Amino acid sequence: MSLKFCWRTTSLLATATALLISTTAPKAHADIPDENYRPILEHLLGTVMPPKLDELNGATSNLADGLKDFCSDPDADGLLEVQGDFHSAMDIWQEIQPWRMGPLVANGRDQHIEYWPDKHGTATRQFRKLMFNKPAAFTDPKQLSDASAALQGFPALEEVLFDDKHSDQLIAADEDGVFLCQYGSAIATNLVRLTGEVRDEWPAFADAMRNAGPDSMDYATAKFAATDLYRALHEGLLIISSQKLGRPIGTDAKDASASRGESETSKRSLRNISHNLIGLFAIYDGKWGDVGQEGKGLSALIDSSLLDRSFRLNWQTVQDQLDTLPPSITELLDQPDGYQKLVDLAGQIDLLTSLVENDVGGNTNLGGGFNALDGD
Protein backbone atom coordinates (compact mmCIF):
# COMPACT_ATOMS: atom_id res chain seq x y z
CA MET A 1 0.00 0.00 0.00
CA SER A 2 1.41 3.37 -0.98
CA LEU A 3 2.13 6.08 1.54
CA LYS A 4 -0.42 8.40 -0.02
CA PHE A 5 -3.12 5.75 0.01
CA CYS A 6 -2.45 5.16 3.70
CA TRP A 7 -3.20 8.81 4.48
CA ARG A 8 -6.54 8.74 2.74
CA THR A 9 -7.43 5.35 4.20
CA THR A 10 -6.62 6.60 7.68
CA SER A 11 -8.80 9.65 7.17
CA LEU A 12 -11.72 7.49 6.13
CA LEU A 13 -11.20 5.06 9.00
CA ALA A 14 -11.32 7.99 11.42
CA THR A 15 -14.98 8.47 10.48
CA ALA A 16 -15.91 4.80 10.23
CA THR A 17 -17.66 4.82 13.62
CA ALA A 18 -19.45 8.10 12.97
CA LEU A 19 -22.66 9.16 14.63
CA LEU A 20 -24.99 10.31 11.86
CA ILE A 21 -26.23 13.82 12.44
CA SER A 22 -29.02 15.35 10.34
CA THR A 23 -27.99 18.73 9.01
CA THR A 24 -29.57 21.25 6.73
CA ALA A 25 -28.06 20.89 3.30
CA PRO A 26 -25.85 23.87 2.41
CA LYS A 27 -27.27 26.23 -0.17
CA ALA A 28 -25.97 25.43 -3.65
CA HIS A 29 -23.47 27.89 -5.11
CA ALA A 30 -21.71 28.15 -8.43
CA ASP A 31 -18.94 25.64 -8.99
CA ILE A 32 -15.50 26.73 -7.80
CA PRO A 33 -12.58 25.92 -10.11
CA ASP A 34 -10.49 23.10 -8.69
CA GLU A 35 -7.33 25.21 -8.80
CA ASN A 36 -8.86 27.64 -6.32
CA TYR A 37 -8.58 25.02 -3.57
CA ARG A 38 -4.90 24.34 -4.13
CA PRO A 39 -3.48 27.56 -2.53
CA ILE A 40 -5.53 26.83 0.59
CA LEU A 41 -4.08 23.33 0.85
CA GLU A 42 -0.60 24.73 0.33
CA HIS A 43 -1.03 27.41 2.98
CA LEU A 44 -2.76 25.45 5.72
CA LEU A 45 -0.87 22.17 5.35
CA GLY A 46 2.50 23.43 4.18
CA THR A 47 2.86 26.78 5.94
CA VAL A 48 0.58 26.88 8.97
CA MET A 49 0.68 23.39 10.48
CA PRO A 50 4.42 22.48 10.46
CA PRO A 51 5.49 25.19 12.97
CA LYS A 52 2.67 24.12 15.27
CA LEU A 53 3.83 20.52 15.16
CA ASP A 54 7.34 21.74 16.01
CA GLU A 55 5.82 23.63 18.94
CA LEU A 56 3.98 20.54 20.15
CA ASN A 57 7.09 18.38 19.98
CA GLY A 58 9.09 21.07 21.77
CA ALA A 59 6.47 21.36 24.51
CA THR A 60 6.46 17.60 25.14
CA SER A 61 10.27 17.65 25.19
CA ASN A 62 10.20 20.38 27.84
CA LEU A 63 7.69 18.32 29.80
CA ALA A 64 9.88 15.21 29.64
CA ASP A 65 12.98 17.17 30.69
CA GLY A 66 11.09 18.81 33.54
CA LEU A 67 9.84 15.49 34.83
CA LYS A 68 13.32 14.02 34.74
CA ASP A 69 14.64 16.92 36.82
CA PHE A 70 11.72 16.73 39.23
CA CYS A 71 12.10 12.99 39.78
CA SER A 72 15.75 13.43 40.69
CA ASP A 73 14.83 15.81 43.53
CA PRO A 74 11.05 16.00 44.07
CA ASP A 75 9.46 18.83 46.04
CA ALA A 76 6.27 20.89 45.95
CA ASP A 77 7.75 23.73 43.88
CA GLY A 78 9.14 21.28 41.37
CA LEU A 79 5.76 19.62 41.00
CA LEU A 80 4.14 22.99 40.29
CA GLU A 81 6.72 23.59 37.55
CA VAL A 82 6.05 20.22 35.95
CA GLN A 83 2.31 20.81 36.12
CA GLY A 84 2.92 24.10 34.31
CA ASP A 85 4.87 22.22 31.63
CA PHE A 86 1.93 19.83 31.31
CA HIS A 87 -0.50 22.72 30.78
CA SER A 88 1.76 24.27 28.13
CA ALA A 89 1.94 21.01 26.21
CA MET A 90 -1.80 20.41 26.54
CA ASP A 91 -2.58 23.94 25.27
CA ILE A 92 -0.86 23.38 21.94
CA TRP A 93 -2.13 19.78 21.69
CA GLN A 94 -5.72 20.98 22.15
CA GLU A 95 -5.23 23.43 19.29
CA ILE A 96 -3.89 20.70 17.00
CA GLN A 97 -6.23 17.92 18.22
CA PRO A 98 -9.29 18.84 16.09
CA TRP A 99 -7.43 18.62 12.77
CA ARG A 100 -7.79 14.79 12.93
CA MET A 101 -6.14 13.87 9.62
CA GLY A 102 -3.05 12.23 8.19
CA PRO A 103 -0.26 11.46 10.67
CA LEU A 104 -2.36 12.70 13.58
CA VAL A 105 -4.70 9.72 13.30
CA ALA A 106 -2.44 7.18 11.57
CA ASN A 107 -2.18 3.96 13.60
CA GLY A 108 -4.51 5.42 16.22
CA ARG A 109 -1.84 7.96 17.15
CA ASP A 110 -4.31 10.57 18.39
CA GLN A 111 -5.68 8.04 20.90
CA HIS A 112 -2.18 7.22 22.11
CA ILE A 113 -1.57 10.92 22.64
CA GLU A 114 -4.92 11.41 24.37
CA TYR A 115 -7.22 8.51 25.15
CA TRP A 116 -10.53 10.31 25.53
CA PRO A 117 -13.49 10.05 25.88
CA ASP A 118 -13.22 7.02 28.12
CA LYS A 119 -16.92 6.23 28.48
CA HIS A 120 -16.38 2.86 30.15
CA GLY A 121 -13.73 3.85 32.68
CA THR A 122 -11.04 1.74 31.02
CA ALA A 123 -8.19 3.97 32.08
CA THR A 124 -9.31 4.04 35.72
CA ARG A 125 -9.44 0.25 35.94
CA GLN A 126 -6.13 -0.25 34.19
CA PHE A 127 -4.42 2.44 36.26
CA ARG A 128 -5.63 0.86 39.48
CA LYS A 129 -4.19 -2.49 38.41
CA LEU A 130 -0.97 -0.81 37.34
CA MET A 131 -0.46 0.75 40.76
CA PHE A 132 -1.13 -2.57 42.46
CA ASN A 133 1.46 -4.47 40.40
CA LYS A 134 3.91 -1.66 39.57
CA PRO A 135 5.41 -3.50 36.57
CA ALA A 136 8.88 -2.24 35.66
CA ALA A 137 7.98 -2.39 31.95
CA PHE A 138 5.80 0.68 32.37
CA THR A 139 8.77 2.78 33.43
CA ASP A 140 10.46 2.09 30.08
CA PRO A 141 9.23 4.38 27.26
CA LYS A 142 9.80 1.79 24.55
CA GLN A 143 7.87 -0.94 26.34
CA LEU A 144 5.18 1.54 27.36
CA SER A 145 4.62 2.37 23.68
CA ASP A 146 3.29 -1.16 23.19
CA ALA A 147 0.88 -0.93 26.14
CA SER A 148 -2.80 -0.01 26.15
CA ALA A 149 -3.50 3.48 24.82
CA ALA A 150 -5.40 4.13 28.06
CA LEU A 151 -2.11 3.97 29.99
CA GLN A 152 -0.25 6.27 27.63
CA GLY A 153 -0.62 9.92 26.77
CA PHE A 154 -1.85 13.06 28.44
CA PRO A 155 -4.76 11.64 30.51
CA ALA A 156 -2.51 9.03 32.16
CA LEU A 157 0.12 11.67 32.90
CA GLU A 158 -2.60 13.99 34.19
CA GLU A 159 -3.58 11.31 36.70
CA VAL A 160 0.04 11.02 37.85
CA LEU A 161 0.64 14.76 38.22
CA PHE A 162 -2.71 16.19 39.36
CA ASP A 163 -4.51 13.59 41.46
CA ASP A 164 -4.09 14.78 45.05
CA LYS A 165 -3.12 11.38 46.42
CA HIS A 166 -0.53 10.80 43.75
CA SER A 167 0.84 14.33 44.10
CA ASP A 168 1.55 13.66 47.77
CA GLN A 169 3.22 10.35 46.89
CA LEU A 170 5.40 12.02 44.26
CA ILE A 171 6.69 14.59 46.73
CA ALA A 172 7.14 12.03 49.50
CA ALA A 173 9.10 9.83 47.07
CA ASP A 174 7.82 6.67 48.78
CA GLU A 175 7.57 3.39 46.88
CA ASP A 176 4.45 4.46 45.02
CA GLY A 177 5.87 7.92 44.40
CA VAL A 178 9.09 6.61 42.87
CA PHE A 179 7.15 4.32 40.56
CA LEU A 180 4.74 7.12 39.60
CA CYS A 181 7.62 9.44 38.77
CA GLN A 182 9.34 6.84 36.61
CA TYR A 183 6.05 5.95 34.94
CA GLY A 184 5.24 9.62 34.34
CA SER A 185 8.67 10.17 32.82
CA ALA A 186 8.09 7.22 30.50
CA ILE A 187 4.75 8.67 29.40
CA ALA A 188 6.31 12.06 28.66
CA THR A 189 9.21 10.51 26.76
CA ASN A 190 6.76 8.45 24.72
CA LEU A 191 4.81 11.63 23.96
CA VAL A 192 8.01 13.15 22.59
CA ARG A 193 8.30 10.17 20.25
CA LEU A 194 4.67 10.31 19.16
CA THR A 195 4.66 14.04 18.49
CA GLY A 196 8.00 13.73 16.71
CA GLU A 197 6.51 11.10 14.41
CA VAL A 198 3.58 13.36 13.57
CA ARG A 199 5.97 16.23 12.81
CA ASP A 200 8.26 14.08 10.66
CA GLU A 201 5.46 12.39 8.70
CA TRP A 202 3.44 15.54 8.07
CA PRO A 203 5.37 16.80 4.99
CA ALA A 204 4.63 13.62 3.01
CA PHE A 205 0.95 13.89 3.90
CA ALA A 206 0.89 17.58 2.98
CA ASP A 207 2.49 16.75 -0.39
CA ALA A 208 -0.19 14.13 -1.04
CA MET A 209 -2.87 16.72 -0.36
CA ARG A 210 -1.19 19.47 -2.40
CA ASN A 211 -0.60 17.13 -5.36
CA ALA A 212 -4.22 16.10 -5.59
CA GLY A 213 -5.25 15.29 -9.15
CA PRO A 214 -5.71 12.55 -11.73
CA ASP A 215 -2.34 10.98 -10.91
CA SER A 216 -3.02 10.79 -7.16
CA MET A 217 -4.12 7.51 -5.57
CA ASP A 218 -5.77 9.45 -2.72
CA TYR A 219 -7.31 12.67 -3.95
CA ALA A 220 -8.67 12.88 -7.48
CA THR A 221 -9.14 16.64 -7.15
CA ALA A 222 -7.92 19.48 -4.95
CA LYS A 223 -11.53 20.00 -3.88
CA PHE A 224 -11.65 16.42 -2.65
CA ALA A 225 -8.51 17.05 -0.59
CA ALA A 226 -9.88 20.33 0.79
CA THR A 227 -12.96 18.43 1.96
CA ASP A 228 -10.81 16.94 4.74
CA LEU A 229 -10.15 20.46 6.03
CA TYR A 230 -13.84 21.30 6.01
CA ARG A 231 -14.61 18.01 7.77
CA ALA A 232 -12.05 18.82 10.49
CA LEU A 233 -13.68 22.21 11.07
CA HIS A 234 -17.19 20.78 11.09
CA GLU A 235 -16.53 17.69 13.19
CA GLY A 236 -14.31 19.62 15.58
CA LEU A 237 -17.29 21.76 16.57
CA LEU A 238 -19.60 18.75 16.78
CA ILE A 239 -17.17 16.97 19.10
CA ILE A 240 -17.07 20.01 21.38
CA SER A 241 -20.85 20.11 21.48
CA SER A 242 -21.66 16.41 21.81
CA GLN A 243 -18.70 15.19 23.87
CA LYS A 244 -16.80 17.97 25.61
CA LEU A 245 -19.97 19.82 26.64
CA GLY A 246 -22.80 17.37 26.02
CA ARG A 247 -21.46 14.61 28.22
CA PRO A 248 -21.00 16.81 31.34
CA ILE A 249 -24.32 18.62 30.71
CA GLY A 250 -26.25 15.37 30.76
CA THR A 251 -30.04 15.39 30.50
CA ASP A 252 -30.64 18.15 33.06
CA ALA A 253 -29.01 20.02 35.93
CA LYS A 254 -29.40 17.07 38.30
CA ASP A 255 -27.71 14.74 35.81
CA ALA A 256 -24.82 17.14 35.11
CA SER A 257 -21.37 15.82 36.03
CA ALA A 258 -18.09 17.62 35.56
CA SER A 259 -16.28 14.29 35.90
CA ARG A 260 -17.50 13.38 32.42
CA GLY A 261 -15.59 16.33 31.01
CA GLU A 262 -12.18 16.24 29.42
CA SER A 263 -9.11 16.92 31.60
CA GLU A 264 -11.14 17.55 34.74
CA THR A 265 -8.45 16.13 37.04
CA SER A 266 -6.23 19.02 35.98
CA LYS A 267 -9.24 21.39 36.00
CA ARG A 268 -8.93 22.51 32.38
CA SER A 269 -11.98 21.16 30.51
CA LEU A 270 -13.14 24.60 29.34
CA ARG A 271 -9.58 25.74 28.76
CA ASN A 272 -9.29 22.83 26.32
CA ILE A 273 -12.31 24.06 24.36
CA SER A 274 -10.88 27.55 24.16
CA HIS A 275 -7.71 26.16 22.60
CA ASN A 276 -9.76 23.87 20.31
CA LEU A 277 -11.42 26.98 18.90
CA ILE A 278 -8.05 28.59 18.20
CA GLY A 279 -6.93 25.64 16.10
CA LEU A 280 -10.29 25.30 14.37
CA PHE A 281 -10.53 28.96 13.46
CA ALA A 282 -7.13 28.70 11.77
CA ILE A 283 -8.70 26.33 9.24
CA TYR A 284 -11.21 29.02 8.33
CA ASP A 285 -8.96 32.06 8.67
CA GLY A 286 -5.48 30.91 7.64
CA LYS A 287 -3.70 32.57 10.57
CA TRP A 288 -2.80 30.72 13.77
CA GLY A 289 -1.18 32.93 16.36
CA ASP A 290 1.88 34.39 14.68
CA VAL A 291 1.88 31.73 11.96
CA GLY A 292 0.12 32.03 8.61
CA GLN A 293 -1.87 34.84 7.04
CA GLU A 294 -5.42 36.02 7.57
CA GLY A 295 -7.79 35.23 4.73
CA LYS A 296 -5.80 32.36 3.25
CA GLY A 297 -7.77 29.52 4.84
CA LEU A 298 -11.22 28.36 3.75
CA SER A 299 -12.36 31.98 4.05
CA ALA A 300 -10.50 32.67 0.79
CA LEU A 301 -13.38 30.91 -0.96
CA ILE A 302 -16.10 33.03 0.69
CA ASP A 303 -17.41 35.47 -1.94
CA SER A 304 -19.36 37.63 0.50
CA SER A 305 -17.53 40.08 2.75
CA LEU A 306 -20.70 40.45 4.82
CA LEU A 307 -20.92 36.70 5.42
CA ASP A 308 -17.23 36.57 6.29
CA ARG A 309 -17.53 39.42 8.80
CA SER A 310 -20.62 37.84 10.34
CA PHE A 311 -18.90 34.49 10.74
CA ARG A 312 -15.85 36.08 12.36
CA LEU A 313 -18.03 38.13 14.72
CA ASN A 314 -20.03 35.08 15.84
CA TRP A 315 -16.85 33.08 16.39
CA GLN A 316 -15.27 35.88 18.42
CA THR A 317 -18.43 36.15 20.52
CA VAL A 318 -18.09 32.51 21.56
CA GLN A 319 -14.39 32.90 22.30
CA ASP A 320 -15.12 36.01 24.38
CA GLN A 321 -17.80 34.11 26.31
CA LEU A 322 -15.32 31.35 27.09
CA ASP A 323 -12.87 33.94 28.36
CA THR A 324 -15.38 34.97 31.05
CA LEU A 325 -15.70 31.40 32.34
CA PRO A 326 -13.39 29.51 34.71
CA PRO A 327 -11.01 26.96 33.15
CA SER A 328 -12.95 23.92 34.32
CA ILE A 329 -16.53 22.68 34.32
CA THR A 330 -16.16 21.78 38.00
CA GLU A 331 -15.60 25.43 38.88
CA LEU A 332 -18.39 26.58 36.57
CA LEU A 333 -20.98 24.20 38.04
CA ASP A 334 -20.07 25.48 41.49
CA GLN A 335 -21.57 28.83 40.47
CA PRO A 336 -25.32 29.37 41.09
CA ASP A 337 -26.00 29.86 37.37
CA GLY A 338 -23.16 27.65 36.19
CA TYR A 339 -25.31 24.95 34.62
CA GLN A 340 -27.22 27.47 32.54
CA LYS A 341 -23.96 29.07 31.41
CA LEU A 342 -22.75 25.65 30.31
CA VAL A 343 -25.96 25.04 28.36
CA ASP A 344 -25.70 28.50 26.81
CA LEU A 345 -22.14 27.81 25.71
CA ALA A 346 -23.24 24.57 24.05
CA GLY A 347 -25.95 26.52 22.23
CA GLN A 348 -23.38 29.01 20.97
CA ILE A 349 -21.19 26.17 19.69
CA ASP A 350 -24.24 24.72 17.94
CA LEU A 351 -24.81 28.08 16.24
CA LEU A 352 -21.22 28.06 14.96
CA THR A 353 -21.79 24.53 13.69
CA SER A 354 -24.86 25.67 11.76
CA LEU A 355 -22.91 28.53 10.22
CA VAL A 356 -20.18 26.13 9.15
CA GLU A 357 -22.70 23.69 7.67
CA ASN A 358 -24.71 26.26 5.75
CA ASP A 359 -22.59 29.35 5.10
CA VAL A 360 -19.06 27.96 4.97
CA GLY A 361 -20.04 24.57 3.56
CA GLY A 362 -22.25 26.13 0.92
CA ASN A 363 -19.93 28.93 -0.16
CA THR A 364 -16.88 26.69 -0.41
CA ASN A 365 -18.79 23.81 -2.10
CA LEU A 366 -17.26 21.52 0.53
CA GLY A 367 -20.31 20.88 2.72
CA GLY A 368 -23.02 18.31 2.33
CA GLY A 369 -24.06 15.91 5.06
CA PHE A 370 -20.91 15.07 6.97
CA ASN A 371 -21.04 12.82 10.01
CA ALA A 372 -19.91 13.69 13.51
CA LEU A 373 -17.57 11.43 15.42
CA ASP A 374 -19.05 10.25 18.69
CA GLY A 375 -15.72 9.17 20.17
CA ASP A 376 -16.57 5.49 20.64
Side-chain angles (χ1 to χ4, degrees):
M1 184 181 290
S2 72
L3 176 63
K4 293 181 180 179
F5 184 74
C6 287
W7 296 135
R8 183 60 189 170
T9 302
T10 299
S11 180
L12 292 174
L13 286 174
T15 61
T17 58
L19 174 66
L20 185 60
I21 299 293
S22 297
T23 61
T24 303
K27 181 181 177 181
H29 289 264
D31 286 345
I32 296 173
D34 197 57
E35 287 305 307
N36 288 18
Y37 295 100
R38 207 170 297 279
I40 296 169
L41 295 169
E42 174 71 36
H43 181 69
L44 290 177
L45 300 171
T47 299
V48 174
M49 181 55 90
K52 293 300 176 179
L53 294 177
D54 285 339
E55 185 179 344
L56 175 62
N57 184 246
T60 55
S61 295
N62 289 339
L63 176 59
D65 290 343
L67 259 166
K68 183 178 179 181
D69 291 341
F70 168 74
C71 290
S72 67
D73 186 20
D75 60 26
D77 289 339
L79 180 59
L80 286 175
E81 290 181 11
V82 173
Q83 289 174 340
D85 292 338
F86 175 92
H87 283 305
S88 296
M90 271 294 277
D91 284 347
I92 181 59
W93 164 244
Q94 288 294 322
E95 294 179 18
I96 291 170
Q97 179 198 56
W99 283 56
R100 296 182 61 86
M101 61 180 71
L104 281 167
V105 295
N107 302 315
R109 193 174 279 135
D110 58 331
Q111 288 296 296
H112 286 84
I113 293 173
E114 185 187 3
Y115 184 80
W116 193 88
D118 181 8
K119 295 182 180 180
H120 307 294
T122 302
T124 300
R125 291 195 305 273
Q126 293 185 1
F127 192 91
R128 189 181 300 118
K129 182 178 179 181
L130 177 75
M131 290 304 299
F132 182 78
N133 296 322
K134 300 183 185 65
F138 284 80
T139 66
D140 179 278
K142 189 174 187 309
Q143 294 186 68
L144 178 64
S145 67
D146 295 324
S148 166
L151 292 175
Q152 300 183 37
F154 284 113
L157 186 54
E158 177 188 25
E159 181 71 17
V160 170
L161 294 177
F162 290 90
D163 178 87
D164 290 340
K165 176 182 176 182
H166 297 146
S167 297
D168 291 342
Q169 291 170 333
L170 286 170
I171 295 172
D174 56 16
E175 181 183 0
D176 284 342
V178 170
F179 174 79
L180 282 166
C181 229
Q182 293 174 343
Y183 170 52
S185 290
I187 295 172
T189 300
N190 189 48
L191 280 170
V192 176
R193 178 189 63 82
L194 288 166
T195 58
E197 289 175 353
V198 176
R199 176 201 60 199
D200 295 344
E201 294 175 15
W202 189 265
F205 167 68
D207 285 345
M209 294 278 271
R210 289 192 300 245
N211 295 326
D215 296 330
S216 171
M217 295 181 65
D218 303 306
Y219 302 95
T221 65
K223 176 183 176 180
F224 189 34
T227 298
D228 276 1
L229 291 167
Y230 172 82
R231 178 168 43 235
L233 175 60
H234 182 221
E235 289 179 349
L237 290 170
L238 284 166
I239 287 170
I240 291 173
S241 177
S242 66
Q243 297 180 14
K244 300 195 175 192
L245 292 174
R247 283 169 52 76
I249 285 173
T251 56
D252 53 36
K254 292 182 179 180
D255 184 52
S257 176
S259 65
R260 294 194 292 261
E262 183 186 32
S263 304
E264 266 304 303
T265 300
S266 56
K267 300 295 185 289
R268 53 166 299 134
S269 48
L270 296 177
R271 177 172 171 173
N272 284 356
I273 294 172
S274 182
H275 282 279
N276 284 163
L277 292 180
I278 292 172
L280 286 169
F281 189 68
I283 297 174
Y284 176 81
D285 181 50
K287 187 173 175 60
W288 190 341
D290 58 358
V291 175
Q293 185 176 334
E294 182 180 329
K296 296 191 72 174
L298 295 182
S299 61
L301 301 170
I302 304 296
D303 58 8
S304 166
S305 60
L306 180 61
L307 186 152
D308 177 59
R309 288 198 301 271
S310 175
F311 184 82
R312 292 174 182 275
L313 178 61
N314 278 287
W315 196 285
Q316 188 60 51
T317 297
V318 178
Q319 190 70 70
D320 290 344
Q321 174 63 19
L322 265 168
D323 289 344
T324 69
L325 302 179
S328 79
I329 292 175
T330 296
E331 295 168 276
L332 182 58
L333 291 180
D334 283 342
Q335 299 178 5
D337 58 349
Y339 182 78
Q340 188 58 51
K341 287 181 178 178
L342 197 61
V343 171
D344 291 345
L345 177 61
Q348 290 177 313
I349 296 294
D350 289 342
L351 171 61
L352 291 184
T353 305
S354 295
L355 293 176
V356 168
E357 290 170 350
N358 296 294
D359 296 341
V360 179
N363 279 267
T364 63
N365 283 195
L366 297 174
F370 283 98
N371 296 334
L373 303 179
D374 72 356
D376 285 338

